[in-house]
Amino acid sequence: MLFHIRINPDSTGMIFFHHDVIEQYSLLPSSSIRLKIGAWEKQAEIAAHSAEDPSLFFLSADIAADVGLPEHLPYELTLDQQEIQIGPVIGILIRGKITELKPNRLNIYLKYVVNYKQLRGLILLFTVDGIDDTQKKVNGFAFNPDSNRWEKGSYVFPSAVFCRRSATPKLRSCFTRLCGNRFFNSQVFNKWEMWERLSGYESMRAHLPDTSLAVHKNELKRFIDQHQIVFLKPKAGMQGSGIFRLEQQGSSYIFQYELNGQSLTSTAYSWEDAYSFLKMELNLEKYLVQQGIPLIKMGQRVIDFRVLVQKNRHGSWCVQGIVSRLGKKNSIVSNISSGGSAEKAWFTLLKIYGQDERTAIKKQNEMEHLAIEACETLEMTGLHLGNVGMDMALDQSGHCWIIEINNRDPDATIALDAGDQELYYRLKSAPLDYAKWLTGFG
């Protein structure tokens, strides 16, 4: 049953329900009960109202002022003998300052609420500078489903938060005080931190290319001698930029890299020359070196797979979809921004396995299970995640490798690149489905 709020200006510390609701939930008029709305909690006295509509409930003016619930929104209630919760109240934390949130930018976030009829309640968009932790409020924007717009105001702090930006330890402590552990994707990890978190687990280690920091000359040389082909990557890089492939052939070292959309090759004829080239081109303190994997290719195009993993409305990990990326011919990266293309992974797997559907589905299931296991393992290291993009690849024997994991803000537009609009909107709406589950209204 959906409820709508009204304000009773002549009372203090009270909540009023229709007598049918009081009877249905075995509530006792004139008794005190814990009332919870977002991060706000307080004892309130239960009373019956005389309005005919059983979907209405009334809050006394003081409570209404504390929480700022818009009256036009539909709310759900959870009721028992100890607590009444009104909601859900869900927040999306984004980058920037509240003064920077102009209509054009606000419209970008409408995609997250395309399934508002299933979410219901108060959906908030806010920035760090809008948080008032002492009053348990946020100055931000609430979604109005009637106008399909975000409306500025002061609202109760949400009981669950989807973080679209990283949070400092201080901010995470603030969230913990306000809403417990019901905030996710607040800690962003780079490629090296991913390696450190996963490589200690034997089940994961078999699917991770050997990785080391590139800052020490002797360690870099040892790593290249061991693997012959390596990739140097920025620890925090995105979209395939700044990646160098290095192959040792006898005493020579062959570099491949992308520059201004062109694939370039350079050769150094000694380790000292090779290292000098790297020092000149790269800030090695910000780089790692990764074992080169002999990946499956199609027509000289490197292939990898973006596995899109999210928690669903039941709080469980699921793979929403897999998109394959094919780099431009002879490129060392698969990124679409570097000239690559995308398609649904199923079509690519069928091509790889000669239209053998049984083998293709088996490999797709293997990638899905590995992706979920990796997410579960990451959470064992102390993270709370709900929205992850995982880059996988297959070597020439068909073994699955985890190349990179992005939990900062996995780009859902890759689904559009693959022509899958349904997947795109599913990726946008799922984080708030999970947030609703966290609030207790799932």
Side-chain angles (χ1 to χ4, degrees):
M1 183 176 181
L2 296 181
F3 292 84
H4 289 82
I5 183 177
R6 296 292 184 266
I7 297 173
N8 184 313
D10 302 321
S11 62
T12 301
M14 299 183 71
I15 182 168
F16 300 80
F17 291 106
H18 191 273
H19 58 83
D20 287 349
V21 175
I22 289 176
E23 183 176 340
Q24 178 183 350
Y25 289 94
S26 302
L27 299 173
L28 297 175
S30 301
S31 66
S32 178
I33 196 168
R34 194 73 178 168
L35 177 59
K36 182 176 181 181
I37 304 172
W40 180 94
E41 294 183 46
K42 192 174 182 180
Q43 291 295 125
E45 182 182 339
I46 297 172
H49 66 67
S50 57
E52 293 184 4
D53 188 349
S55 71
L56 293 180
F57 68 89
F58 291 75
L59 294 177
S60 58
D62 59 322
I63 295 177
D66 281 347
V67 298
L69 288 185
E71 293 187 37
H72 61 273
L73 297 177
Y75 297 97
E76 298 178 22
L77 268 66
T78 62
L79 293 88
D80 58 36
Q81 292 298 322
Q82 287 75 42
E83 182 181 270
I84 298 172
Q85 183 178 195
I86 301 170
V89 183
I90 298 169
I92 307 173
L93 174 70
I94 61 174
R95 301 180 187 90
K97 298 180 179 179
I98 192 169
T99 55
E100 299 169 352
L101 299 183
K102 306 302 181 185
N104 285 346
R105 187 176 173 199
L106 290 170
N107 288 341
I108 294 172
Y109 300 99
L110 291 175
K111 296 181 180 70
Y112 288 100
V113 289
V114 291
N115 286 338
Y116 180 80
K117 288 183 178 180
Q118 283 72 47
L119 290 171
R120 308 180 182 110
L122 178 60
I123 312 298
L124 301 172
L125 197 64
F126 67 102
T127 55
V128 173
D129 64 332
I131 299 172
D132 183 347
D133 60 328
T134 58
Q135 297 296 319
K136 297 185 177 182
K137 285 190 172 185
V138 291
N139 294 308
F141 293 82
F143 176 65
N144 183 339
D146 297 328
S147 63
N148 198 40
R149 292 181 179 178
W150 298 96
E151 297 181 349
K152 192 173 183 179
S154 178
Y155 308 97
V156 65
F157 192 88
S159 51
V161 179
F162 168 38
C163 298
R164 278 284 319 271
R165 52 151 292 171
S166 60
T168 63
K170 181 179 179 181
L171 182 57
R172 292 198 298 272
S173 295
C174 172
F175 282 0
T176 301
R177 290 194 305 273
L178 291 170
C179 61
N181 66 346
R182 295 184 298 274
F183 60 97
F184 59 98
N185 275 53
S186 67
Q187 291 177 262
V188 174
F189 52 84
N190 61 32
K191 298 181 185 72
W192 176 248
E193 291 164 342
M194 181 203 83
W195 163 262
E196 288 190 306
R197 287 180 181 274
L198 291 180
S199 60
Y201 293 86
E202 186 176 351
S203 62
M204 290 289 100
R205 186 67 181 82
H207 298 279
L208 298 172
D210 193 15
T211 303
S212 180
L213 294 174
V215 64
H216 300 297
K217 180 179 179 181
N218 292 339
E219 170 62 15
L220 185 56
K221 179 65 165 64
R222 181 202 66 77
F223 198 91
I224 295 169
D225 288 343
Q226 178 182 351
H227 295 293
Q228 303 298 304
I229 299 175
V230 302
F231 285 84
L232 290 109
K233 301 178 177 182
K235 287 186 285 186
M238 294 180 66
Q239 296 186 330
S241 61
I243 294 178
F244 281 62
R245 181 184 186 273
L246 174 56
E247 180 176 357
Q248 184 180 19
Q249 292 185 356
S251 60
S252 298
Y253 297 85
I254 301 171
F255 297 90
Q256 288 180 266
Y257 54 98
E258 302 278 327
L259 183 64
N260 298 326
Q262 300 295 315
S263 297
L264 303 178
T265 301
S266 298
T267 302
Y269 295 98
S270 70
W271 168 242
E272 292 300 325
D273 287 346
Y275 187 70
S276 295
F277 176 83
L278 290 174
K279 290 278 287 184
M280 179 177 64
E281 294 292 331
L282 308 176
N283 181 355
L284 292 176
E285 290 186 356
K286 295 183 178 181
Y287 268 70
L288 54 77
V289 58
Q290 193 174 77
Q291 169 192 0
I293 305 297
L295 300 181
I296 287 178
K297 293 184 178 181
M298 287 198 313
Q300 300 304 308
R301 301 179 71 188
V302 67
I303 305 168
D304 68 14
F305 299 88
R306 171 61 61 90
V307 188
L308 302 153
V309 201
Q310 296 178 313
K311 284 182 180 168
N312 59 24
R313 66 186 60 190
H314 306 293
S316 301
W317 284 110
C318 67
V319 173
Q320 298 282 12
I322 307 178
V323 173
S324 55
R325 299 183 300 185
L326 291 83
K328 68 180 181 181
K329 192 173 182 179
N330 296 319
S331 175
I332 63 171
V333 296
S334 63
N335 300 75
I336 297 166
S337 59
S338 299
S341 60
E343 66 180 10
K344 294 179 182 179
W346 175 247
F347 299 136
T348 306
L349 290 171
L350 282 177
K351 295 171 190 173
I352 291 171
Y353 293 110
Q355 303 302 313
D356 183 344
E357 292 189 4
R358 185 173 181 179
T359 303
I361 193 95
K362 183 178 180 181
K363 185 57 62 177
Q364 181 168 298
N365 289 339
E366 182 183 341
M367 286 193 285
E368 291 180 359
H369 293 153
L370 177 59
I372 289 174
E373 183 182 2
C375 289
E376 291 172 343
T377 304
L378 283 170
E379 290 201 302
M380 289 167 58
T381 70
L383 299 173
H384 184 183
L385 305 172
N387 188 32
V388 170
M390 191 172 303
D391 291 342
M392 287 190 184
L394 302 176
D395 65 22
Q396 293 171 8
S397 69
H399 184 72
C400 291
W401 295 89
I402 298 173
I403 306 300
E404 185 177 346
I405 299 176
N406 178 5
N407 78 312
R408 183 170 74 178
D409 183 23
D411 188 1
T413 60
I414 193 170
L416 299 179
D417 293 325
D420 195 339
Q421 190 174 52
E422 181 182 343
L423 173 60
Y424 173 77
Y425 284 104
R426 201 159 65 239
L427 292 169
K428 286 296 188 181
S429 61
L432 296 194
D433 288 338
Y434 173 57
K436 182 177 180 179
W437 179 83
L438 286 175
T439 66
F441 288 95

